[in-house]
mmCIF file with all atom_site columns, all heavy atoms in Angstrom:
data_model
loop_
_atom_site.group_PDB
_atom_site.id
_atom_site.type_symbol
_atom_site.label_atom_id
_atom_site.label_alt_id
_atom_site.label_comp_id
_atom_site.label_asym_id
_atom_site.label_entity_id
_atom_site.label_seq_id
_atom_site.pdbx_PDB_ins_code
_atom_site.Cartn_x
_atom_site.Cartn_y
_atom_site.Cartn_z
_atom_site.occupancy
_atom_site.B_iso_or_equiv
_atom_site.pdbx_formal_charge
_atom_site.auth_seq_id
_atom_site.auth_comp_id
_atom_site.auth_asym_id
_atom_site.auth_atom_id
_atom_site.pdbx_PDB_model_num
ATOM 1  N N   . ARG Q 1 224 ? 107.261 86.023 67.537 1.00 0.00 ? 224 ARG Q N   1
ATOM 2  C CA  . ARG Q 1 224 ? 105.873 86.360 67.865 1.00 0.00 ? 224 ARG Q CA  1
ATOM 3  C C   . ARG Q 1 224 ? 105.717 87.782 68.397 1.00 0.00 ? 224 ARG Q C   1
ATOM 4  O O   . ARG Q 1 224 ? 104.639 88.363 68.330 1.00 0.00 ? 224 ARG Q O   1
ATOM 5  C CB  . ARG Q 1 224 ? 105.307 85.333 68.837 1.00 0.00 ? 224 ARG Q CB  1
ATOM 6  C CG  . ARG Q 1 224 ? 105.108 83.981 68.123 1.00 0.00 ? 224 ARG Q CG  1
ATOM 7  C CD  . ARG Q 1 224 ? 104.942 82.832 69.077 1.00 0.00 ? 224 ARG Q CD  1
ATOM 8  N NE  . ARG Q 1 224 ? 103.613 82.777 69.682 1.00 0.00 ? 224 ARG Q NE  1
ATOM 9  C CZ  . ARG Q 1 224 ? 103.275 81.899 70.629 1.00 0.00 ? 224 ARG Q CZ  1
ATOM 10 N NH1 . ARG Q 1 224 ? 104.162 81.028 71.069 1.00 0.00 ? 224 ARG Q NH1 1
ATOM 11 N NH2 . ARG Q 1 224 ? 102.064 81.893 71.136 1.00 0.00 ? 224 ARG Q NH2 1
ATOM 12 N N   . MET Q 1 225 ? 106.792 88.342 68.964 1.00 0.00 ? 225 MET Q N   1
ATOM 13 C CA  . MET Q 1 225 ? 106.698 89.726 69.458 1.00 0.00 ? 225 MET Q CA  1
ATOM 14 C C   . MET Q 1 225 ? 107.279 90.717 68.453 1.00 0.00 ? 225 MET Q C   1
ATOM 15 O O   . MET Q 1 225 ? 107.063 91.921 68.585 1.00 0.00 ? 225 MET Q O   1
ATOM 16 C CB  . MET Q 1 225 ? 107.448 89.878 70.785 1.00 0.00 ? 225 MET Q CB  1
ATOM 17 C CG  . MET Q 1 225 ? 106.701 89.366 71.987 1.00 0.00 ? 225 MET Q CG  1
ATOM 18 S SD  . MET Q 1 225 ? 107.455 90.004 73.512 1.00 0.00 ? 225 MET Q SD  1
ATOM 19 C CE  . MET Q 1 225 ? 106.185 89.658 74.706 1.00 0.00 ? 225 MET Q CE  1
ATOM 20 N N   . GLY Q 1 226 ? 108.071 90.209 67.522 1.00 0.00 ? 226 GLY Q N   1
ATOM 21 C CA  . GLY Q 1 226 ? 108.718 91.100 66.565 1.00 0.00 ? 226 GLY Q CA  1
ATOM 22 C C   . GLY Q 1 226 ? 109.765 91.975 67.249 1.00 0.00 ? 226 GLY Q C   1
ATOM 23 O O   . GLY Q 1 226 ? 109.837 93.188 67.006 1.00 0.00 ? 226 GLY Q O   1
ATOM 24 N N   . ILE Q 1 227 ? 110.550 91.362 68.150 1.00 0.00 ? 227 ILE Q N   1
ATOM 25 C CA  . ILE Q 1 227 ? 111.548 92.144 68.902 1.00 0.00 ? 227 ILE Q CA  1
ATOM 26 C C   . ILE Q 1 227 ? 112.891 91.416 68.916 1.00 0.00 ? 227 ILE Q C   1
ATOM 27 O O   . ILE Q 1 227 ? 112.974 90.256 68.491 1.00 0.00 ? 227 ILE Q O   1
ATOM 28 C CB  . ILE Q 1 227 ? 111.116 92.366 70.374 1.00 0.00 ? 227 ILE Q CB  1
ATOM 29 C CG1 . ILE Q 1 227 ? 110.979 91.016 71.109 1.00 0.00 ? 227 ILE Q CG1 1
ATOM 30 C CG2 . ILE Q 1 227 ? 109.832 93.156 70.461 1.00 0.00 ? 227 ILE Q CG2 1
ATOM 31 C CD1 . ILE Q 1 227 ? 110.829 91.150 72.615 1.00 0.00 ? 227 ILE Q CD1 1
ATOM 32 N N   . LEU Q 1 228 ? 113.901 92.098 69.456 1.00 0.00 ? 228 LEU Q N   1
ATOM 33 C CA  . LEU Q 1 228 ? 115.187 91.465 69.741 1.00 0.00 ? 228 LEU Q CA  1
ATOM 34 C C   . LEU Q 1 228 ? 115.102 91.003 71.201 1.00 0.00 ? 228 LEU Q C   1
ATOM 35 O O   . LEU Q 1 228 ? 114.790 91.809 72.081 1.00 0.00 ? 228 LEU Q O   1
ATOM 36 C CB  . LEU Q 1 228 ? 116.296 92.503 69.571 1.00 0.00 ? 228 LEU Q CB  1
ATOM 37 C CG  . LEU Q 1 228 ? 117.706 92.089 69.961 1.00 0.00 ? 228 LEU Q CG  1
ATOM 38 C CD1 . LEU Q 1 228 ? 118.277 91.118 68.935 1.00 0.00 ? 228 LEU Q CD1 1
ATOM 39 C CD2 . LEU Q 1 228 ? 118.602 93.329 70.048 1.00 0.00 ? 228 LEU Q CD2 1
ATOM 40 N N   . ALA Q 1 229 ? 115.370 89.717 71.451 1.00 0.00 ? 229 ALA Q N   1
ATOM 41 C CA  . ALA Q 1 229 ? 115.267 89.207 72.824 1.00 0.00 ? 229 ALA Q CA  1
ATOM 42 C C   . ALA Q 1 229 ? 116.655 88.945 73.379 1.00 0.00 ? 229 ALA Q C   1
ATOM 43 O O   . ALA Q 1 229 ? 117.397 88.114 72.853 1.00 0.00 ? 229 ALA Q O   1
ATOM 44 C CB  . ALA Q 1 229 ? 114.443 87.929 72.849 1.00 0.00 ? 229 ALA Q CB  1
ATOM 45 N N   . LEU Q 1 230 ? 117.031 89.662 74.435 1.00 0.00 ? 230 LEU Q N   1
ATOM 46 C CA  . LEU Q 1 230 ? 118.370 89.520 75.018 1.00 0.00 ? 230 LEU Q CA  1
ATOM 47 C C   . LEU Q 1 230 ? 118.301 88.877 76.400 1.00 0.00 ? 230 LEU Q C   1
ATOM 48 O O   . LEU Q 1 230 ? 117.344 89.088 77.153 1.00 0.00 ? 230 LEU Q O   1
ATOM 49 C CB  . LEU Q 1 230 ? 119.047 90.893 75.117 1.00 0.00 ? 230 LEU Q CB  1
ATOM 50 C CG  . LEU Q 1 230 ? 119.292 91.602 73.779 1.00 0.00 ? 230 LEU Q CG  1
ATOM 51 C CD1 . LEU Q 1 230 ? 119.897 92.979 74.009 1.00 0.00 ? 230 LEU Q CD1 1
ATOM 52 C CD2 . LEU Q 1 230 ? 120.193 90.766 72.860 1.00 0.00 ? 230 LEU Q CD2 1
ATOM 53 N N   . ASP Q 1 231 ? 119.350 88.124 76.702 1.00 0.00 ? 231 ASP Q N   1
ATOM 54 C CA  . ASP Q 1 231 ? 119.417 87.389 77.963 1.00 0.00 ? 231 ASP Q CA  1
ATOM 55 C C   . ASP Q 1 231 ? 120.137 88.244 79.005 1.00 0.00 ? 231 ASP Q C   1
ATOM 56 O O   . ASP Q 1 231 ? 121.163 88.854 78.699 1.00 0.00 ? 231 ASP Q O   1
ATOM 57 C CB  . ASP Q 1 231 ? 120.208 86.095 77.704 1.00 0.00 ? 231 ASP Q CB  1
ATOM 58 C CG  . ASP Q 1 231 ? 120.035 85.057 78.803 1.00 0.00 ? 231 ASP Q CG  1
ATOM 59 O OD1 . ASP Q 1 231 ? 119.302 85.325 79.771 1.00 0.00 ? 231 ASP Q OD1 1
ATOM 60 O OD2 . ASP Q 1 231 ? 120.627 83.964 78.679 1.00 0.00 ? 231 ASP Q OD2 1
ATOM 61 N N   . ILE Q 1 232 ? 119.603 88.280 80.207 1.00 0.00 ? 232 ILE Q N   1
ATOM 62 C CA  . ILE Q 1 232 ? 120.304 88.990 81.280 1.00 0.00 ? 232 ILE Q CA  1
ATOM 63 C C   . ILE Q 1 232 ? 120.383 88.071 82.493 1.00 0.00 ? 232 ILE Q C   1
ATOM 64 O O   . ILE Q 1 232 ? 119.465 87.309 82.767 1.00 0.00 ? 232 ILE Q O   1
ATOM 65 C CB  . ILE Q 1 232 ? 119.655 90.350 81.640 1.00 0.00 ? 232 ILE Q CB  1
ATOM 66 C CG1 . ILE Q 1 232 ? 118.294 90.181 82.326 1.00 0.00 ? 232 ILE Q CG1 1
ATOM 67 C CG2 . ILE Q 1 232 ? 119.504 91.223 80.409 1.00 0.00 ? 232 ILE Q CG2 1
ATOM 68 C CD1 . ILE Q 1 232 ? 117.730 91.493 82.856 1.00 0.00 ? 232 ILE Q CD1 1
ATOM 69 N N   . TYR Q 1 233 ? 121.514 88.150 83.199 1.00 0.00 ? 233 TYR Q N   1
ATOM 70 C CA  . TYR Q 1 233 ? 121.767 87.193 84.283 1.00 0.00 ? 233 TYR Q CA  1
ATOM 71 C C   . TYR Q 1 233 ? 122.166 87.905 85.572 1.00 0.00 ? 233 TYR Q C   1
ATOM 72 O O   . TYR Q 1 233 ? 122.821 88.945 85.535 1.00 0.00 ? 233 TYR Q O   1
ATOM 73 C CB  . TYR Q 1 233 ? 122.896 86.242 83.852 1.00 0.00 ? 233 TYR Q CB  1
ATOM 74 C CG  . TYR Q 1 233 ? 123.441 85.375 84.960 1.00 0.00 ? 233 TYR Q CG  1
ATOM 75 C CD1 . TYR Q 1 233 ? 122.855 84.150 85.262 1.00 0.00 ? 233 TYR Q CD1 1
ATOM 76 C CD2 . TYR Q 1 233 ? 124.534 85.792 85.724 1.00 0.00 ? 233 TYR Q CD2 1
ATOM 77 C CE1 . TYR Q 1 233 ? 123.348 83.350 86.295 1.00 0.00 ? 233 TYR Q CE1 1
ATOM 78 C CE2 . TYR Q 1 233 ? 125.037 84.999 86.757 1.00 0.00 ? 233 TYR Q CE2 1
ATOM 79 C CZ  . TYR Q 1 233 ? 124.434 83.775 87.029 1.00 0.00 ? 233 TYR Q CZ  1
ATOM 80 O OH  . TYR Q 1 233 ? 124.923 82.992 88.054 1.00 0.00 ? 233 TYR Q OH  1
ATOM 81 N N   . GLY Q 1 234 ? 121.761 87.307 86.661 1.00 0.00 ? 234 GLY Q N   1
ATOM 82 C CA  . GLY Q 1 234 ? 122.211 87.819 87.948 1.00 0.00 ? 234 GLY Q CA  1
ATOM 83 C C   . GLY Q 1 234 ? 121.603 87.000 89.061 1.00 0.00 ? 234 GLY Q C   1
ATOM 84 O O   . GLY Q 1 234 ? 120.782 86.116 88.821 1.00 0.00 ? 234 GLY Q O   1
#
Side-chain angles (χ1 to χ4, degrees):
R224 290 163 77 185
M225 281 196 165
I227 62 169
L228 174 73
L230 297 177
D231 196 0
I232 69 172
Y233 169 87

